């Protein structure tokens, strides 16, 4: 809003044509941001969280670093300078993000001509390879043209032997997943050693606990959407309550999936505390 009000030379109305133009511009900005995130260690702090997963499925599309938007928001201010207001930006970026989400799956092996034009799952899988050389390829968001133009397109016959980072990362802790890259960037060896057990595999949690966590996640997701669409009617303290309830829920879900000691009692405590905080909202 600030950049649009003070820096935009004009206001672009949102319609089908301006949406398409804005979508192409946004996708190009994303490519530049993505390229920089893989080449500059400071930006890699936020983006590396997305690459930590040793799987390649839809859950990876949701695995976004806490610090990523904080570090990369200046790139997207170019949309405001170009004349797109906040509403237009949210619509364009939302559609782009949804299409990128669909690219995180191994179930689409060949989509024909689409594989030559768009960042389909067949193309994006290469980007999530644990091979550092391959992970620097196929950097586009939705459109593949940027990789064609700037020489970052991977060969179509690349074989992905393993997904994730060059050094495997297996922690299920959302907190540790986000702060480990920060500690690694500053070479804080002592702090990194505090979680040495996180790099070992554990059997999957009980299926019913996984279903419970899935149900909790969708509940929190719906709650978060409600907050985003209605945040303007709430004051600062009420917003902090919303954010607190959401954050506690995500944290305890991570504890359960990581099979931490006292995880389930902690979650029950979180549920009671959440009900108490929400009652303050009336």
């Amino acid at each position: 809003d600030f950049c649009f009000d003070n820096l935009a030379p004009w206001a672009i109305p949102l319609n089908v044509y301006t949406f398409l133009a804005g979508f192409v511009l946004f996708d190009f900005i994303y490519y530049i941001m993505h390229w920089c995130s893989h080449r500059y260690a400071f930006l890699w702090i936020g983006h590396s969280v997305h690459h930590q997963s040793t799987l390649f499925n839809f859950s990876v599309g949701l695995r976004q670093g806490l610090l990523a938007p904080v570090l990369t928001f200046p790139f997207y201010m170019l949309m405001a300078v170009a004349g797109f207001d906040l509403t237009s930006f949210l619509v364009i970026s939302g559609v782009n993000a949804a299409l990128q989400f669909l690219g995180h799956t191994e179930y689409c092996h060949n989509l024909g001509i689409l594989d030559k034009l768009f960042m389909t799952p067949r193309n994006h899988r290469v980007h999530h390879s644990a091979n550092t050389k391959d992970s620097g390829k196929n950097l586009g968001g939705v459109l593949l043209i940027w990789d064609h133009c700037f020489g970052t397109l991977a060969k179509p016959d690349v074989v992905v032997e393993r997904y994730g980072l060059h050094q495997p990362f297996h922690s299920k802790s959302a907190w540790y997943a986000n702060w480990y890259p920060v500690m690694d960037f500053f070479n804080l060896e002592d702090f990194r050693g505090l979680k040495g057990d996180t790099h070992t595999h554990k059997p999957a949690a009980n299926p019913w606990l996984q279903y419970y966590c899935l149900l909790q996640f969708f509940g929190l997701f719906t709650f978060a959407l409600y907050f985003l669409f209605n945040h303007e009617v709430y004051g600062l303290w009420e917003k902090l309550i919303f954010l607190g309830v959401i954050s506690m829920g995500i944290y305890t879900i991570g504890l359960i999936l990581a099979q931490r000691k006292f995880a389930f009692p902690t979650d029950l405590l979180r549920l009671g505390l959440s009900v108490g905080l929400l009652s303050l909202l009336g």
Side-chain angles (χ1 to χ4, degrees):
D1 273 340
F2 177 83
C3 288
F4 177 77
D5 291 339
N6 294 276
L7 301 176
W10 49 65
I12 299 177
L14 184 62
N15 55 49
V16 174
Y17 303 106
T18 57
F19 170 82
L20 292 176
F23 188 90
V24 173
L25 175 60
F26 179 90
D27 206 63
F28 175 65
I29 293 173
Y30 176 86
Y31 174 86
I32 298 298
M33 179 277 295
H34 200 185
W35 185 91
C36 291
S37 295
H38 275 265
R39 280 158 178 78
Y40 296 102
F42 184 66
L43 295 177
W44 179 245
I45 290 174
H47 186 58
S48 63
V49 178
H50 180 62
H51 282 267
Q52 289 169 351
S53 177
T54 56
L55 303 174
F56 184 63
N57 53 36
F58 287 146
S59 71
V60 181
L62 296 174
R63 187 189 182 103
Q64 303 297 328
L66 174 67
L67 298 177
V70 178
L71 298 174
T72 61
F73 82 90
F75 290 91
Y76 296 113
M77 293 307 102
L78 294 174
M79 291 288 289
V81 175
F84 292 94
D85 63 13
L86 181 59
T87 300
S88 298
F89 173 79
L90 291 175
V91 171
I92 293 169
S93 62
V95 173
N96 191 283
L99 292 174
Q100 286 194 44
F101 169 80
L102 296 174
H104 296 84
T105 177
E106 291 188 283
Y107 286 104
C108 294
H109 300 289
N110 193 332
L111 294 178
I113 188 64
L114 296 180
D115 287 330
K116 299 183 181 299
L117 300 174
F118 301 103
M119 191 60 65
T120 59
R122 183 184 181 188
N123 291 316
H124 195 56
R125 66 182 176 82
V126 179
H127 181 66
H128 279 265
S129 170
N131 186 326
T132 306
K133 178 176 146 185
D134 292 330
S135 65
K137 300 290 186 179
N138 292 1
L139 293 162
V142 174
L143 306 176
L144 204 59
I145 187 174
W146 317 122
D147 291 288
H148 280 286
C149 291
F150 299 106
T152 53
L153 186 68
K155 295 180 179 179
D157 58 348
V158 170
V159 176
V160 179
E161 297 180 354
R162 182 171 62 85
Y163 294 108
L165 300 176
H166 179 67
Q167 180 180 352
F169 184 94
H170 300 302
S171 174
K172 292 184 176 67
S173 166
W175 174 261
Y176 186 64
N178 278 281
W179 287 110
Y180 179 84
V182 179
M183 295 184 286
D184 191 55
F185 178 78
F186 290 104
N187 293 316
L188 300 178
E189 298 286 350
D190 293 339
F191 291 98
R192 283 187 291 179
L194 291 176
K195 286 285 187 175
D197 63 320
T198 59
H199 291 280
T200 59
H201 282 293
K202 289 184 179 180
N206 181 288
W208 288 107
L209 286 181
Q210 294 185 48
Y211 295 141
Y212 169 79
C213 290
L214 184 64
L215 180 64
Q216 287 284 356
F217 172 79
F218 279 115
L220 289 167
F221 183 72
T222 303
F223 185 68
L225 286 179
Y226 170 82
F227 169 64
L228 289 173
F229 283 108
N230 297 277
H231 69 92
E232 293 181 351
V233 303
Y234 295 105
L236 176 60
W237 286 108
E238 293 169 319
K239 290 178 180 179
L240 291 176
I241 289 176
F242 272 100
L243 294 175
V245 169
I246 295 169
S247 299
M248 287 191 300
I250 295 297
Y251 177 70
T252 56
I253 285 175
L255 290 180
I256 294 173
L257 291 176
Q259 303 175 66
R260 297 293 184 190
K261 195 174 182 180
F262 304 121
F264 204 70
T266 301
D267 190 57
L268 292 177
L269 178 63
R270 184 268 306 181
L271 286 171
L273 185 59
S274 297
V275 171
L277 288 173
L278 290 176
S279 66
L280 300 177
L281 298 177

